[in-house]
Amino acid sequence: MSKYTTGEIAKLCNVTVRTVQYYDTKGILIPSELTDGGRRLYSEDDLKKMKIICFLRDLDISINNIQDILKEEHPQNVIELLLKKQQDELQSEIDEKQEKLDKLVELNKIISGSSKNGDLDLSSIGDAAKIMANKKELSKIRRNMILIALPVNILEWAAIVLWIIKGVWWPFVVSIILMIPVGIILSLYYMNRVKYICPECHTNFIPKKSEMFWSNHTPNTRKLTCPCCDKKRWCVETFNEDRRS
């Protein structure tokens, strides 16, 4: 088994020799062996323990608290929780930075395109920023709609299979009757939580439900009449902040 001197273990853990010696005097990291000349020697287990101590110090845990943790009957349980917490915090930071990066990429595309055309439109940049900020809310709305509609769709397909295999048709009729109110509820739920941005005058507006229901649309746009400029355009869908919970 490998043995490490104070200098070697300090180098492997990226700390000073004085730090290793200090941990020894505090009784946190006692060397496994002392030579006849009084030289400290550390084992592989000591090296692992030193790395754990360095990790805990990086989390701003005091020396006294580290002593208490290492004296626990199962210190690995505490350390696992600390690792999980650190991992969650780092993942949250990564997600936040990725979201900012997505916004920067999108805004850069708009600025680059506008600059090439010689008509940098600050309103368009503001619209893009708002759309990016509300993307999560829109995804949440659509996910909720799928979760609500899924049981009814499963029931409908089960009724179709039953009709084909057994010749029993009435469950299919019942499923169709159920789908009508569910469809109306989902439509109203969606309509009440979105609004649109006019690409012509950049007005944010909530369209009439009748027009919205029958209009042509894509996953992110809908052809609507802007109440401000009175022009029918492919308007961009975004979340209605007034309905934020």
Side-chain angles (χ1 to χ4, degrees):
M1 182 177 288
S2 300
K3 298 290 182 181
Y4 303 96
T5 64
T6 303
E8 288 170 339
I9 202 169
K11 186 175 181 180
L12 288 169
C13 295
N14 198 29
V15 296
T16 65
V17 171
R18 189 181 292 259
T19 299
V20 180
Q21 293 170 343
Y22 174 69
Y23 290 160
D24 183 10
T25 60
K26 294 291 289 184
I28 299 176
L29 185 72
I30 300 172
S32 299
E33 185 180 331
L34 285 174
T35 64
D36 293 337
R39 193 181 189 191
R40 297 177 178 87
L41 293 177
Y42 295 90
S43 65
E44 287 287 349
D45 288 339
D46 293 332
L47 176 60
K48 292 177 184 177
K49 189 175 182 181
M50 182 62 182
K51 289 181 177 179
I52 290 171
I53 294 168
C54 291
F55 163 73
L56 296 175
R57 288 296 294 134
D58 286 340
L59 296 181
D60 294 326
I61 297 175
S62 69
I63 296 298
N64 291 335
N65 287 337
I66 291 174
Q67 282 180 310
D68 293 337
I69 290 171
L70 295 178
K71 286 177 184 176
E72 289 278 336
E73 185 178 354
H74 300 291
Q76 67 274 16
N77 293 341
V78 180
I79 294 168
E80 282 178 9
L81 287 174
L82 289 170
L83 284 169
K84 181 64 169 62
K85 182 174 181 292
Q86 184 77 350
Q87 180 181 333
D88 291 343
E89 288 175 355
L90 288 172
Q91 186 61 56
S92 178
E93 288 179 16
I94 291 170
D95 293 341
E96 185 179 343
K97 290 184 184 300
Q98 183 61 53
E99 185 177 347
K100 288 181 179 178
L101 178 61
D102 291 340
K103 289 180 181 179
L104 288 172
V105 170
E106 188 69 23
L107 289 173
N108 191 46
K109 286 180 182 177
I110 294 171
I111 292 171
S112 298
S114 299
S115 298
K116 288 177 182 177
N117 296 329
D119 57 347
L120 182 60
D121 190 342
L122 295 179
S123 297
S124 296
I125 295 173
D127 291 343
K130 180 179 288 187
I131 292 163
M132 290 296 296
N134 290 331
K135 186 176 280 188
K136 282 187 178 180
E137 294 290 348
L138 280 177
S139 297
K140 182 179 177 182
I141 292 171
R142 290 163 182 165
R143 183 175 66 250
N144 289 342
M145 291 179 66
I146 291 171
L147 291 174
I148 295 170
L150 188 60
V152 179
N153 286 334
I154 292 173
L155 179 63
E156 182 185 12
W157 280 105
I160 292 172
V161 171
L162 185 64
W163 190 0
I164 294 172
I165 296 176
K166 300 290 186 179
V168 181
W169 56 269
W170 66 264
F172 175 72
V173 175
V174 172
S175 68
I176 294 297
I177 294 172
L178 282 174
M179 283 192 69
I180 294 172
V182 171
I184 293 172
I185 291 169
L186 287 177
S187 297
L188 291 174
Y189 170 81
Y190 192 74
M191 291 177 184
N192 288 332
R193 283 163 177 78
V194 296
K195 61 182 178 180
Y196 293 86
I197 303 172
C198 174
E200 188 73 20
C201 65
H202 306 283
T203 297
N204 287 243
F205 67 97
I206 299 172
K208 293 180 181 178
K209 289 183 173 60
S210 57
E211 182 187 15
M212 185 176 173
F213 186 81
W214 296 108
S215 61
N216 293 331
H217 63 89
T218 69
N220 298 304
T221 62
R222 193 174 291 267
K223 199 163 189 179
L224 298 166
T225 303
C226 173
C228 183
C229 64
D230 202 34
K231 293 182 179 179
K232 195 166 189 175
R233 294 281 187 269
W234 284 100
C235 300
V236 180
E237 189 172 78
T238 186
F239 176 69
N240 184 358
E241 294 93 341
D242 294 337
R243 299 304 300 264
R244 194 182 299 276
S245 57

